[in-house]
Amino acid sequence: MPIVKYPRATEPLWREWDGKAQKCGLRHTVYAVNGDQYTGEWLDNLKHGKGTQVWKRTGAIYSGDWKFGKRDGYGSYSIPDPVTKEYKKVYTGWWKNDRKCGYGATFYPGGERYEGEWSGGLRSGWGRMYYRDGSIYEGQWLVDQPGGQGMLRLPNENRYEGGWKDGKKHGPGKFFYLDKGQLFEGIWAADIPKCGILIDFGRDEAPAPTQYPIPKV
């Protein structure tokens, strides 16, 4: 009986090339068409695991965790100084779905910095903000502004403790005028005290007390 030989089935070349192009696991630096480059781990042709991304247009660098092509997990983001070209850290902390989410620290131009919680790329939750003029706010944040309960300490050590809304003093609160030895306790609305009482508070230790004490009613 004659032996019939059937031709071996061959896959098209594009399938072979596509298979070789699929990135999975640890790879050397991969360059995008726009010049961006990524060095690290892949899964199903997506950045996944540990890796470092460099953006060509801005020179920014992200080094940390990735999940299905997006920054997700713990990582740091830095940009080059326009004058010295040295890298300055902008954010170090947790990410989710390519945005800051969870606890992290951000460093702003001029020396300001924020340490606390984030949600969807905005300051939300508990956090502490160090301002350029020396003021410090510590408390709750909502949609990138102080919102809820918090304390603002001024450079002269005077401080406000109480409610906040849209970044302004709002609701019941106390303002300690430690330089004068007085305390104002009352209700605030949009940064303006509406009603309350003013009493002497630590007047004997105040550096610049009022000339006369407040008489008792």
Side-chain angles (χ1 to χ4, degrees), residues 136-173:
I136 301 174
Y137 171 81
E138 182 174 0
Q140 294 175 308
W141 293 74
L142 183 63
V143 195
D144 220 35
Q145 297 189 88
Q149 294 294 309
M151 178 188 74
L152 176 67
R153 189 169 73 238
L154 302 177
N156 61 1
E157 298 300 327
N158 289 349
R159 70 178 187 269
Y160 168 82
E161 299 176 2
W164 295 79
K165 183 180 180 182
D166 299 329
K168 298 180 179 180
K169 305 177 190 71
H170 194 90

